[in-house]
């Protein structure tokens, strides 16, 4: 079984890329979904989060806005949250990989926003980075209406700069053009995964600059 890492900064279009891969039949581990499950009502991470940030968990329900504000305001809280969440996500990821191997999957995708930052790229045979111009990235995040410009800056400060991700990628998917062009790039990626030939991977590689 071969493993494809999928990553990209906030607002880069990674979720759209992941959805298109899933629709094509590729099995995918979504790290963000794993985190949401851990933080869902009475989720496994809530007792420890409640001890880390008193008052953000009430009756087994997480106040996500309060947790986000506390984490972005304090590096100590952010590091404490990562120390709680990351081991639990790693266990979920390991269970996913074990099931996929048992099921005889040829390729699986690990969709992990902090793929490089957490060293998870070491598990991957190839890494895909989803990228868009910074202006489009910020516009997409602001449209969600869940974060202020200052909060966006705080998130970006924690993430690897886009140019560094691109340099470390095997394939770059550009999402700042059009959906049609994004789909074409993903089709080339899927062809490379199916065929495995050097020519197919060369066609999928994109621009890493």
């Amino acid at each position: 079984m071969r493993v494809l890492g999928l990553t990209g900064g906030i607002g880069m279009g990674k979720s759209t890329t992941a959805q298109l891969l899933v629709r094509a039949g590729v099995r995918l581990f979504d790290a963000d979904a794993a985190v949401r499950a851990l933080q869902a009502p009475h989720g496994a991470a809530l007792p420890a989060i409640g001890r880390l940030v008193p008052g953000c968990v009430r009756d087994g329900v997480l106040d996500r806005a309060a947790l986000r504000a506390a984490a972005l305001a304090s590096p100590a809280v952010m590091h404490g949250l990562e120390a709680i969440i990351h081991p639990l996500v790693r266990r979920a990821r390991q269970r996913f990989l074990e099931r996929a191997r048992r099921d005889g999957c040829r390729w699986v995708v690990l969709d992990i926003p902090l793929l490089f930052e957490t060293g998870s790229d070491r598990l991957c045979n190839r890494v895909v980075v989803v990228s868009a111009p910074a202006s489009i990235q910020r516009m997409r995040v602001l449209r969600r209406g869940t974060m202020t410009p200052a909060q966006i800056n705080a998130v970006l400060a924690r993430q690897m700069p886009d140019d560094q991700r691109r340099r470390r990628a095997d394939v770059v998917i550009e999402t700042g053009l059009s959906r049609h062009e994004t789909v074409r790039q993903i089709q080339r990626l899927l062809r490379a995964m199916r065929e495995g030939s050097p020519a197919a991977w060369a066609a999928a590689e994109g621009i890493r600059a």
Side-chain angles (χ1 to χ4, degrees):
M1 184 179 76
R2 298 178 69 78
V3 179
L4 185 77
L6 175 65
T7 192
I10 184 172
M12 287 299 196
K14 183 174 60 62
S15 295
T16 298
T17 301
Q19 290 168 8
L20 291 169
L21 290 171
V22 170
R23 287 179 193 170
V26 182
R27 193 175 299 193
L28 181 141
F29 174 77
D30 184 339
D32 282 344
V35 172
R36 288 193 294 272
L38 292 167
Q39 296 180 349
H42 305 287
L46 294 194
I49 291 174
R51 291 190 294 271
L52 178 69
V53 185
C56 78
V57 178
R58 296 185 180 87
D59 299 322
V61 177
L62 175 66
D63 184 335
R64 294 179 183 276
L67 178 63
R68 183 188 300 117
L72 292 177
S74 168
V77 170
M78 180 64 77
H79 292 153
L81 183 61
E82 290 172 346
I84 294 167
I85 294 295
H86 286 179
L88 294 172
V89 172
R90 283 196 295 270
R91 289 177 206 164
R93 182 185 67 202
Q94 185 59 33
R95 291 193 296 271
F96 165 86
L97 290 171
E98 290 171 357
R99 286 194 300 269
R101 287 192 183 95
R102 287 198 302 268
D103 292 343
C105 293
R106 183 180 177 192
W107 277 94
V108 295
V109 175
L110 299 181
D111 176 357
I112 303 177
L114 300 178
L115 184 81
F116 292 123
E117 292 89 334
T118 59
S120 300
D121 58 302
R122 292 192 294 268
L123 299 173
C124 303
N125 300 100
R126 302 265 181 172
V127 172
V128 173
V129 166
V130 181
S131 179
S135 59
I136 293 177
Q137 177 188 26
R138 287 181 176 274
M139 179 185 67
R140 286 171 176 168
V141 179
L142 285 170
R143 279 180 179 172
R144 297 175 186 173
T146 58
M147 300 178 69
T148 67
Q151 289 174 327
I152 294 172
N153 290 338
V155 170
L156 292 174
R158 289 180 54 242
Q159 296 184 342
M160 180 178 289
D162 186 51
D163 61 340
Q164 291 184 28
R165 279 200 196 90
R166 293 170 68 99
R167 284 196 294 270
R168 295 180 65 173
D170 296 297
V171 176
V172 175
I173 301 292
E174 306 277 1
T175 68
L177 302 172
S178 67
R179 184 178 177 85
H180 176 71
E181 179 55 32
T182 299
V183 170
R184 286 183 58 191
Q185 293 174 73
I186 293 171
Q187 287 172 341
R188 289 196 294 268
L189 171 63
L190 289 165
R191 187 177 306 117
M193 293 166 69
R194 286 194 304 269
E195 298 177 6
S197 68
W201 279 109
E205 279 183 0
I207 302 169
R208 289 171 291 169

